[in-house]
Amino acid sequence: MRKREMEGGREDLAQRSSFCSKHQYFHSFDSAEQPAENVTGWSEKGDEGEKGDRGEVGKQGKVGPKGPKGNKGPVGDVGDQGMLGKIGPIGGKGDKGAKGLPGVSGKKGKAGTVCDCGRYRRFVGQLNINVARLNTSIKFLKNVIAGIRETDEKFYYIVKEEKNYREALIHCRDRGGSLAMPKDEATNALLADYISNSGLFRAFIGLNDMEREGQFVYADNSPLQNYSNWKQGEPHDPAGHEDCVEMLSTGEWNDSECQVTIYFVCEFLKKRK
């Protein structure tokens, strides 16, 4: 019974709903033909609706102006090692290194054989002396070939071996000459040019006052007479030790100590034909 009543109520409700819809339809049709003043009651503002769903993302806007420079960031990690560069120029020669440690001593050698060499020792010793003299003569000849100066009567040769005055005197005499003796201006100018072109600053010549202070004589013991070419202020020997004479590259003479070791000039007479 209860069930039938509920079903009847539903049918009645449906009919009413259908009637209202039809009535509203015809009312809307009729009202469209009515003047505007007759429908003002239907246009009142309704209640505010619920907030709608969020719309889709809009298009990207234009790029804005460049902002100010930011703060300096932290230092980055060290990068990988770069490629090997080109080899640089060779450097200058370095300083000499420290002396190394002494090496290990060698093994003891075998005992030598006994030789009765007494009779050969004198011969070998004399042979060594002769060889030394020959080497000296060969060296002298090589130097002579390298360059000499000459006048009508003499040859002049610079010996590029450092010797004191007495050794230089003996060296020239042993070879048949003497220390150079410039006794005139022409000879002095020749020797000065020779010394200068040889790249030397000074050289011994055959002039000294070893026997008597202030009395200069040549290597052949002839006195200094008409010609001299002393440097200004020379000879000057207050201590009495400068008894030998050297010629400077300018051609000027200077008294010097006889014990200094420098190059020297020998002179040789030309053989008469």
Side-chain angles (χ1 to χ4, degrees), residues 85-144:
K86 294 182 179 180
I87 298 175
I90 298 174
K93 185 177 180 181
D95 298 331
K96 186 176 181 180
K99 186 177 181 180
L101 299 175
V104 181
S105 300
K107 296 180 181 180
K108 185 176 181 180
K110 296 180 180 179
T113 58
V114 178
C115 176
D116 183 14
C117 301
R119 56 180 178 173
Y120 298 110
R121 288 176 181 172
R122 181 177 298 177
F123 173 77
V124 172
Q126 186 61 44
L127 184 62
N128 287 336
I129 294 173
N130 293 340
V131 170
R133 288 177 178 173
L134 182 61
N135 287 335
T136 302
S137 298
I138 291 173
K139 184 177 180 180
F140 179 79
L141 289 174
K142 286 181 178 180
N143 291 335
V144 169

Side-chain angles (χ1 to χ4, degrees), residues 252-270:
E252 296 173 311
W253 301 353
N254 176 57
D255 55 341
S256 171
E257 293 185 6
C258 298
Q259 294 305 313
V260 297
T261 54
I262 58 175
Y263 295 165
F264 52 96
V265 186
C266 292
E267 70 174 32
F268 304 91
L269 284 172
K270 289 183 176 181

Side-chain angles (χ1 to χ4, degrees), residues 42-245:
W42 296 93
S43 59
E44 293 179 0
K45 183 177 181 180
D47 297 334
E48 184 177 356
E50 296 179 358
K51 186 176 181 180
D53 297 332
R54 184 169 182 168
E56 297 178 356
V57 177
K59 295 182 179 180
Q60 187 174 1
K62 295 181 179 180
V63 178
K66 186 175 180 181
K69 185 176 180 181
N71 297 328
K72 185 175 181 181
V75 178
D77 298 332
V78 178
D80 297 333
Q81 182 173 347
M83 297 177 65
L84 185 65
K86 294 182 179 180
I87 298 175
I90 298 174
K93 185 177 180 181
D95 298 331
K96 186 176 181 180
K99 186 177 181 180
L101 299 175
V104 181
S105 300
K107 296 180 181 180
K108 185 176 181 180
K110 296 180 180 179
T113 58
V114 178
C115 176
D116 183 14
C117 301
R119 56 180 178 173
Y120 298 110
R121 288 176 181 172
R122 181 177 298 177
F123 173 77
V124 172
Q126 186 61 44
L127 184 62
N128 287 336
I129 294 173
N130 293 340
V131 170
R133 288 177 178 173
L134 182 61
N135 287 335
T136 302
S137 298
I138 291 173
K139 184 177 180 180
F140 179 79
L141 289 174
K142 286 181 178 180
N143 291 335
V144 169
I145 294 172
I148 60 174
R149 295 290 187 276
E150 62 179 308
T151 62
D152 292 338
E153 297 180 352
K154 297 179 180 179
F155 292 108
Y156 297 93
Y157 170 63
I158 294 178
V159 180
K160 294 183 178 180
E161 297 178 28
E162 293 185 345
K163 296 183 181 295
N164 62 38
Y165 185 86
R166 290 186 182 276
E167 291 171 342
L169 196 65
I170 294 172
H171 185 96
C172 295
R173 286 178 179 174
D174 286 348
R175 285 155 182 78
S178 67
L179 278 174
M181 298 174 286
K183 296 183 178 181
D184 55 62
E185 185 175 356
T187 303
N188 197 83
L190 177 73
L191 294 179
D193 180 71
Y194 190 14
I195 293 172
S196 176
N197 289 333
S198 298
L200 305 180
F201 174 70
R202 61 180 182 169
F204 273 136
I205 57 175
L207 193 64
N208 67 82
D209 67 342
M210 291 186 291
E211 294 296 330
R212 182 177 296 180
E213 183 66 25
Q215 299 292 321
F216 286 92
V217 295
Y218 287 105
D220 61 359
N221 292 324
S222 62
L224 185 64
Q225 294 181 347
N226 299 326
Y227 178 78
S228 65
N229 193 35
W230 293 105
K231 182 181 178 182
Q232 186 175 0
E234 303 295 343
H236 180 67
D237 185 20
H241 301 308
E242 297 179 350
D243 296 330
C244 297
V245 179

Side-chain angles (χ1 to χ4, degrees), residues 11-28:
E11 291 177 359
D12 184 56
L13 180 61
Q15 292 175 357
R16 290 181 180 181
S17 177
S18 175
F19 173 81
C20 290
S21 297
K22 292 178 180 179
H23 177 75
Q24 185 178 1
Y25 169 78
F26 289 111
H27 179 76
S28 298

